[in-house]
Amino acid sequence: MDFELTEEQRAFADTAREFARAELAPHAAQWDAEGIFPREAIAKAGALGFCGLYAPESAGGLALPRLDATLVFEEMAAVDPSTTAFITIHNMATWMLGTWATDAVRDHWGPLLTSGEKLASYCLTEPGAGSDAASLKTRAELVGNEYLINGAKAFISGAGSTDVLVLMARTGAPGSGAGGISAFVVPADAPGIQYGKKEEKMGWNSQPTRTISFDNVRIPADHLLGSEGEGFKIAMKGLDGGRINIATCSVGAAQGALGAAQQYMQDRKQFGKAIASFQALQFKLADMATELVAARQMVRLAASKLDAGARDASTYCAMAKRFATDAGFQVVNEALQLHGGYGYIREYPLERLLRDARVHQILEGTNEIMRVIIARRMLDGDAPDAIR
């Protein structure tokens, strides 16, 4: 068991760190304050391969292991969790398209998405189907050689500013559950698509969030991903990686906050000496570092399980998402506390990191749902020996 990164992995991480410092750090606060979606910066990330990190080579991607992708996402999230999180969602949707699309659809969209020239949104959640995703009602009906789509999606990242939608819709009878759901590639500007207002959010302000409505939207039949009825399985496979990605964004945010806190403790003086000399604050920093390292290693373990196709990869992904997003938020919160009143003002990055990291405990499956997934597996007879 080797915990050390290879030279190639370190090179990926170093490139991502340099990119984050040059292209994200100078602008992240402005993008947050003004709600700017930085397509130009995302395209620059695409030029480095960061928009198709684990998409298959047949779609123009790098086909990297998920573990390697976490190294890139962590470095970018240390500076700008919001923009990085969108890039991870784009990677997930691009991987799904590249893996299950027909040759014609993959050949058209794959190179555009993996290069960052075009961007993708992932459309699963509905106004009445959040944690209970299998109850979604958006419908796709095959009429001749086209699918006719009607329904609505909610809380869609990038909606209204992206170019293609990876959409889950019901092709089976009402009440057919997970087995009646299929996945589709839908051009974002197809006639019949309407976008709701841009949501005013606590964080993640560098990426727009909107509802999407579909009114008799027609797409060619070859825009189906996989086969009819496979959509929920495809969505969940996407979310295994998505949960690792979001967990990584929390690790990155925590790393950025820890670095800021350590520097601030050296610089800030109270009672005639640097606050780094106070043992109570030293202990706080020690706990933050310990929680962060534990979260990072759990994320990397889950990524390794997913890369290996392990039987319990989904369980490890749920564990990593639950632990890392909780621990990451706590580390950022403690870093803000160490900054005192300065942590609460926008001149410092702590309050932005805190707002951006909070939603990670909700999306890609709430942490309560992560506990449901873990508990179901742990109640199997072999679980105590298999999950260890």
Side-chain angles (χ1 to χ4, degrees):
M1 186 180 297
D2 186 0
F3 289 96
E4 294 300 315
L5 301 180
T6 66
E7 289 188 12
E8 184 177 18
Q9 288 172 326
R10 291 188 184 279
F12 274 117
D14 289 344
T15 300
R17 185 181 304 117
E18 292 171 6
F19 169 80
R21 289 174 176 173
E23 302 294 340
L24 303 182
H27 311 292
Q30 180 187 4
W31 295 339
D32 170 69
E34 299 179 14
I36 296 171
F37 186 48
R39 285 199 64 141
E40 183 178 346
I42 295 171
K44 290 180 180 179
L48 294 172
F50 296 167
C51 287
L53 285 168
Y54 53 89
E57 292 179 350
S58 60
L62 299 181
L64 291 179
R66 302 305 177 91
L67 176 59
D68 291 22
T70 68
L71 308 177
V72 172
F73 295 145
E74 180 183 333
E75 294 296 340
M76 293 194 294
V79 170
D80 186 354
S82 173
T83 303
T84 304
F86 175 79
I87 293 173
T88 74
I89 294 167
H90 170 83
N91 267 269
M92 177 176 67
T94 299
W95 172 77
M96 294 167 71
L97 184 149
T99 302
W100 282 284
T102 60
D103 289 345
V105 172
R106 183 179 62 248
D107 291 347
H108 173 73
W109 283 109
L112 295 171
L113 295 174
T114 54
S115 68
E117 180 180 346
K118 301 291 185 181
L119 300 177
S121 290
Y122 176 75
C123 303
L124 175 63
T125 301
E126 296 184 1
S131 294
D132 183 15
S135 68
L136 65 83
K137 292 182 171 58
T138 296
R139 183 152 193 85
E141 182 179 357
L142 185 62
V143 180
N145 62 352
E146 294 181 317
Y147 279 98
L148 190 64
I149 302 172
N150 287 278
K153 296 294 179 178
F155 302 117
I156 304 304
S157 293
S161 298
T162 51
D163 306 286
V164 66
L165 312 174
V166 174
L167 172 78
M168 310 303 147
R170 187 166 301 283
T171 50
S176 55
I181 295 172
S182 300
F184 301 90
V185 174
V186 182
D189 60 355
I193 294 179
Q194 290 189 331
Y195 296 95
K197 68 177 178 67
K198 183 180 175 182
E199 302 289 358
E200 298 292 331
K201 306 190 299 289
M202 175 181 174
W204 271 28
N205 291 319
S206 71
Q207 52 169 297
T209 301
R210 292 182 172 91
T211 59
I212 310 177
S213 62
F214 302 85
D215 183 10
N216 291 325
V217 175
R218 295 180 178 274
I219 60 170
D222 71 351
H223 282 43
L224 175 71
L225 292 178
S227 303
E228 279 200 7
E230 287 189 320
F232 194 78
K233 178 181 71 175
I234 291 171
M236 293 304 105
K237 286 182 177 294
L239 283 178
D240 277 343
R243 286 163 183 162
I244 290 173
N245 292 345
I246 290 301
T248 302
C249 286
S250 285
V251 171
Q255 181 66 46
L258 180 70
Q262 191 261 11
Q263 184 62 55
Y264 184 80
M265 287 176 65
Q266 302 285 355
D267 296 339
R268 175 68 166 168
K269 291 182 171 56
Q270 289 289 276
F271 307 104
K273 53 187 175 181
I275 63 172
S277 64
F278 298 118
Q279 191 176 65
L281 302 187
Q282 293 174 3
F283 284 3
K284 189 182 289 287
L285 195 70
D287 286 343
M288 291 161 62
T290 302
E291 292 293 308
L292 174 55
V293 170
R296 178 181 292 115
Q297 295 307 321
M298 178 164 275
V299 169
R300 292 182 181 179
L301 171 63
S304 297
K305 294 286 186 181
L306 193 59
D307 286 332
R311 173 196 171 194
D312 289 313
S314 293
T315 304
Y316 283 98
C317 290
M319 287 179 166
K321 195 271 182 181
R322 202 291 300 165
F323 183 78
T325 58
D326 283 348
F329 179 79
Q330 183 63 23
V331 169
V332 177
N333 194 39
E334 293 287 8
L336 190 152
Q337 185 73 15
L338 282 170
H339 278 70
Y342 290 106
Y344 203 66
I345 62 175
R346 292 194 172 184
E347 183 179 346
Y348 292 78
L350 276 301
E351 61 85 30
R352 174 171 54 83
L353 294 177
L354 185 82
R355 288 185 289 105
D356 284 345
R358 179 60 183 87
V359 76
H360 300 171
Q361 296 167 294
I362 298 172
L363 49 75
E364 309 292 34
T366 66
N367 284 3
E368 289 73 21
I369 292 297
M370 296 305 99
R371 292 179 173 89
V372 170
I373 293 170
I374 298 162
R376 284 176 178 168
R377 176 65 181 104
M378 292 311 301
L379 289 171
D380 291 341
D382 69 329
D385 289 326
I387 309 295
R388 56 187 302 174

